[in-house]
Amino acid sequence: MLALIPRAGFFDAPHEINWDDLIPPDVPYYAIIAEEEMDEQNDSRKPVFDANATKLNTSLVGTYVKILGFIIPIDMTSNGVTSFVLVSYAGACIHTPPPPPNQLVLVTTKIPWVGDNLWDAVSVTGYMQNQLQSKDFAKLAIPYLQV
């Protein structure tokens, strides 16, 4: 699990990364894409990911990074979103099979995000760490960000 935890000073500039940077350099992108099983009873598709889909680029651990993505809310208060999954494209995980675990970022915030439109792209900045996250809906072997 990679984690983004903000602790930058005023002079730290984040290293801008893209989604491919979350994958280890020795794992090609095509190797993280899953086969799918069809659930005919529920009319849905379920991805079956192998070990490559949970491998993370550990060279990013401890690096102050910035990544652009889209929010899928998990926890919300009257003040805004306090926990969400950051995904690489709008609508990921909502009506389609989710991206591979190493192409998701779990984010928790001390200050709620109060965006007016959940379909807008957002930038998230913080320090990467490697740890496994678990939520009620799933055990997530994904990058993690606390802001």
Side-chain angles (χ1 to χ4, degrees), residues 5-67:
I5 301 177
R7 53 185 150 137
F10 290 108
F11 302 108
D12 291 344
H15 174 68
E16 292 190 28
I17 64 170
N18 62 44
W19 291 89
D20 289 345
D21 293 328
L22 298 175
I23 305 167
D26 62 336
V27 177
Y29 184 80
Y30 69 82
I32 68 169
I33 304 302
E35 297 292 325
E36 293 182 354
E37 291 179 350
M38 183 65 178
D39 180 350
E40 293 181 18
Q41 183 177 357
N42 295 313
D43 193 26
S44 65
R45 296 175 297 160
K46 177 185 174 194
V48 179
F49 295 112
D50 65 13
N52 284 328
T54 60
K55 289 181 180 175
L56 301 171
N57 185 353
T58 56
S59 70
L60 291 175
V61 173
T63 304
Y64 186 55
V65 300
K66 177 179 180 180
I67 188 167

Side-chain angles (χ1 to χ4, degrees), residues 60-124:
L60 291 175
V61 173
T63 304
Y64 186 55
V65 300
K66 177 179 180 180
I67 188 167
L68 181 68
F70 298 87
I71 289 177
I72 297 176
I74 296 174
D75 296 317
M76 294 174 36
T77 69
S78 58
N79 295 325
V81 178
T82 57
S83 178
F84 59 91
V85 174
L86 189 71
V87 295
S88 61
Y89 56 93
C93 301
I94 293 176
H95 297 293
T96 62
N102 60 13
Q103 294 295 284
L104 305 169
V105 177
L106 180 62
V107 180
T108 59
T109 64
K110 291 181 181 178
I111 300 171
W113 181 78
V114 228
D116 292 334
N117 189 347
L118 291 176
W119 296 101
D120 290 343
V122 298
S123 291
V124 180

